């Protein structure tokens, strides 16, 4: 592996959503990530979140398999887990014994509600975590909040925040500090993403209503418009010079209303508008679906997407001027690297066969 995190080893306790996303980020940027699989998980074939890993399957109900995790943690720089608070402790794999054995270990924990607080032990999903952050209230049309998929809590406020915390803590260790526990909560991370909005509200520049503010569709020059044929364009002409370019391109006066813009936009197809505004500062872009995005000329030129085993998926990001990133490896078969990992840890052939349930 190449990349700025080359030389680091991370143990990933298999989970769903934000944990794998954080592990993918670390692996994309050069870290060696060993994923400890567990039976019964919902799987997605060729899941991009599982690229760039080594994989071992262990039955954590067995003490000898838990001992493998402990041995791995002793020889690793970090560990990521996304279970409910207390689960890893009950397995004997909590932060206390692992950090005692490896004081430099960065132990990353990602949950919806965090490791403490009145909701810590309650079940939930992305939509619940972002609901208490205040951000969900502001997303959608006037009538009611909209469901923004699970991008905001699981990935932006969760996995991305955990990946940042891991890198920050790993940097502190390299500077002579000790390992530590990262308590990454999706509810915390989502709230942090809303820092600008909370600042605007405190300054009296944000109303707690949907479609009543500049960035939530409350202004006609910032929103989504339907085109001829049912497709959409996005308009984000905030600054005066961008507004002027937009209204010039639409042949509308600068005080045109949302309805005025909608009528004009609806008279042409989406791709006609994209071509019409190409090369201008009107801040108009087509709303592409998941099949169209990978073949958009800009994304092609930037190599924003890659094809791994027939799965178009986002390429590693961001880019570095002095460090290259390898093309990601496709997801491994579950447990594919188990024998090699155990051998590296010093286990013999009979032990390996026993730990892997007879597989070698």
């Amino acid at each position: 592996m190449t990349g700025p995190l080359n030389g680091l080893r991370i143990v990933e306790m298999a989970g769903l959503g934000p944990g794998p996303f954080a592990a993918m980020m670390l692996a994309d940027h050069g870290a060696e990530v060993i994923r400890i699989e567990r039976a019964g998980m919902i799987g997605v074939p060729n899941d991009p979140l599982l690229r760039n890993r080594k994989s071992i399957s262990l039955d954590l109900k067995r003490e000898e398999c838990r001992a493998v995790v402990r041995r791995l943690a002793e020889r690793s720089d970090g560990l990521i887990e996304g279970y409910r608070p207390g689960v890893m402790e009950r397995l004997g794999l909590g932060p206390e014994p692992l950090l005692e054995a490896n004081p430099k270990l960065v132990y990353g924990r990602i949950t919806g509600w965090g490791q403490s607080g009145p909701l810590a032990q309650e079940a939930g999903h992305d939509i619940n975590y972002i609901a208490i952050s205040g951000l969900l209230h502001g997303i959608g049309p006037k009538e009611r909040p909209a469901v923004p998929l699970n991008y905001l809590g699981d990935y932006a406020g969760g996995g991305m925040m955990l990946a940042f915390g891991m890198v920050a803590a790993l940097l502190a260790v390299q500077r002579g500090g000790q390992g530590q526990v990262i308590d990454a909560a999706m509810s915390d991370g989502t709230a942090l993403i809303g820092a600008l909005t909370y600042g605007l509200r405190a300054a009296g520049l944000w109303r707690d209503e949907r479609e009543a503010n500049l960035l939530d569709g409350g202004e006609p020059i910032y929103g989504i418009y339907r085109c001829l044929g049912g497709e959409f364009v996005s308009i984000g002409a905030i600054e005066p010079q961008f507004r002027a370019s937009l209204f010039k391109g639409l042949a509308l006066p600068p005080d045109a209303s949302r309805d005025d813009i909608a009528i004009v936009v609806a008279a042409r197809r989406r791709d006609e508008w994209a071509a019409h505004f190409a090369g201008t500062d009107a801040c108009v872009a087509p709303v592409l679906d998941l099949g169209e995005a990978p073949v958009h000329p800009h994304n092609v030129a930037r190599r924003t997407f890659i094809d791994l085993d027939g799965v178009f998926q986002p390429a590693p990001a961001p880019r570095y001027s002095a460090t290259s990133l390898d093309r990601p490896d496709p997801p491994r078969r579950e447990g594919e690297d188990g024998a090699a990992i155990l051998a590296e840890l010093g286990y013999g052939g009979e032990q390996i066969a026993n730990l892997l349930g007879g597989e070698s």
Side-chain angles (χ1 to χ4, degrees):
M1 294 292 292
T2 58
L5 300 183
N6 183 34
L8 294 174
R9 172 183 279 181
I10 307 295
V11 177
E12 175 196 2
M13 307 301 293
L16 299 173
F21 184 85
M24 179 195 73
M25 290 288 296
L26 298 172
D28 281 352
H29 296 272
E32 176 193 12
V33 179
I34 297 174
R35 180 175 167 90
I36 299 177
E37 306 283 0
R38 57 191 177 98
M41 291 190 61
I42 301 171
V44 176
N46 293 321
D47 185 354
L49 293 181
L50 303 186
R51 67 195 186 194
N52 274 341
R53 308 284 216 289
K54 294 179 179 178
S55 174
I56 180 172
S57 294
L58 295 172
D59 181 0
L60 297 184
K61 296 178 181 178
R62 300 167 57 191
E63 170 54 31
E64 59 267 36
C65 289
R66 296 195 294 271
V68 173
V69 179
R70 287 191 284 269
R71 190 179 294 193
L72 259 177
E74 288 177 12
R75 293 160 171 78
S76 298
D77 300 285
L79 179 145
I80 290 173
E81 65 96 357
Y83 304 144
R84 283 200 203 185
V87 170
M88 287 290 280
E89 282 80 357
R90 289 192 290 274
L91 290 170
L93 301 173
E96 188 172 338
L98 297 193
L99 278 145
E100 183 178 354
N102 179 5
K104 298 293 186 180
L105 184 71
V106 174
Y107 194 112
R109 320 191 82 167
I110 178 68
T111 57
W113 308 114
Q115 298 295 314
S116 62
L119 297 177
Q121 290 294 335
E122 292 195 10
H125 278 295
D126 179 289
I127 196 167
N128 309 122
Y129 312 138
I130 70 175
I132 72 163
S133 74
L135 269 62
L136 180 59
H137 179 270
I139 299 172
K142 292 180 180 179
E143 294 74 23
R144 64 174 184 176
V147 181
L149 300 183
N150 66 331
Y151 301 141
L152 190 55
D154 277 351
Y155 300 117
M160 190 77 73
M161 223 51 91
L162 175 60
F164 173 80
M166 292 293 293
V167 171
L170 289 164
L171 177 61
V173 169
Q174 290 196 346
R175 290 177 170 176
Q178 293 296 299
Q180 58 185 305
V181 180
I182 300 170
D183 176 4
M186 287 175 254
S187 53
D188 294 344
T190 305
L192 180 60
I193 291 168
L196 170 64
T197 310
Y198 274 101
L200 291 171
R201 184 177 183 275
L205 301 175
W206 189 271
R207 296 166 59 188
D208 282 331
E209 303 174 36
R210 286 174 298 283
E211 295 186 330
N213 304 281
L214 173 60
L215 299 177
D216 66 358
E219 293 285 342
I221 46 75
Y222 197 93
I224 309 297
Y225 289 88
R226 184 185 296 272
C227 304
L228 182 67
E231 296 168 318
F232 297 88
V233 292
S234 64
I235 293 177
I238 295 176
E239 291 81 358
Q241 67 272 29
F242 300 159
R243 294 188 189 206
S245 180
L246 171 68
F247 288 124
K248 178 181 178 181
L250 295 173
L252 286 172
D255 59 349
S257 69
R258 179 184 300 279
D259 289 341
D260 295 331
I261 297 175
I263 291 170
V264 173
V265 171
R268 294 191 192 183
R269 293 188 174 275
R270 181 197 67 184
D271 293 346
E272 292 181 75
W273 283 121
H276 176 74
F277 281 108
T280 74
D281 285 337
C283 302
V284 175
V287 177
L288 304 178
D289 64 30
L290 297 179
E292 295 171 312
V295 295
H296 185 277
H298 183 79
N299 291 333
V300 171
R302 294 270 307 168
R303 295 184 175 87
T304 302
F305 293 87
I306 54 176
D307 181 351
L308 290 184
D309 285 0
V311 179
F312 272 107
Q313 56 195 271
R319 320 287 175 80
Y320 302 91
S321 65
T323 307
S324 63
L325 299 180
D326 286 340
R327 179 180 174 82
D329 292 326
R332 310 281 279 177
R333 287 184 293 107
E334 184 176 311
E336 181 175 348
D337 307 289
I341 292 169
L342 291 171
E344 184 184 340
L345 291 174
Y347 290 95
E350 187 174 335
Q351 291 174 303
I352 292 173
N354 176 59
L355 288 165
L356 300 180
E359 299 178 1
S360 61

